[in-house]
Amino acid sequence: MKQLLKFSASWCGPCKSLAGVMKNVDFKDVEMKEIDIDEDMDSVKKYGVRGVPTMVLVNNGVEVKRHTGVLMADKIEEFIHG
């Protein structure tokens, strides 16, 4: 099962922009999980996240790819489905 992990923080301006963009994304069969870096340090360490926003695509628990920064909705769909 594919899962998109979105690492962000409440104080991060670009994270807020990305949250707005993600409302227009068709996730289809991909589950999206938001992770606040200030609340879940275990996940931050596990995936080696160094900046936010960071999106990590995992398939059956294995990292497939990642992107740090803001993308437009069509590019996010390409990232998770392509």
Side-chain angles (χ1 to χ4, degrees), residues 4 17-27 55 70-81:
L4 180 67
S17 296
L18 183 60
V21 170
M22 302 218 37
K23 293 177 183 175
N24 300 314
V25 173
D26 180 6
F27 288 99
M55 294 179 288
V70 178
L71 291 173
M72 293 293 97
D74 61 330
K75 295 295 183 187
I76 295 171
E77 290 173 7
E78 186 178 307
F79 176 78
I80 59 179
H81 300 299

Side-chain angles (χ1 to χ4, degrees), residues 10-44:
S10 60
W11 46 263
C12 169
C15 298
K16 293 175 185 174
S17 296
L18 183 60
V21 170
M22 302 218 37
K23 293 177 183 175
N24 300 314
V25 173
D26 180 6
F27 288 99
K28 295 180 185 170
D29 59 346
V30 177
E31 175 190 349
M32 204 270 284
K33 179 179 179 186
E34 294 203 40
I35 299 170
D36 186 316
I37 63 165
D38 294 324
E39 296 177 9
D40 188 352
M41 283 305 297
D42 290 339
S43 291
V44 170

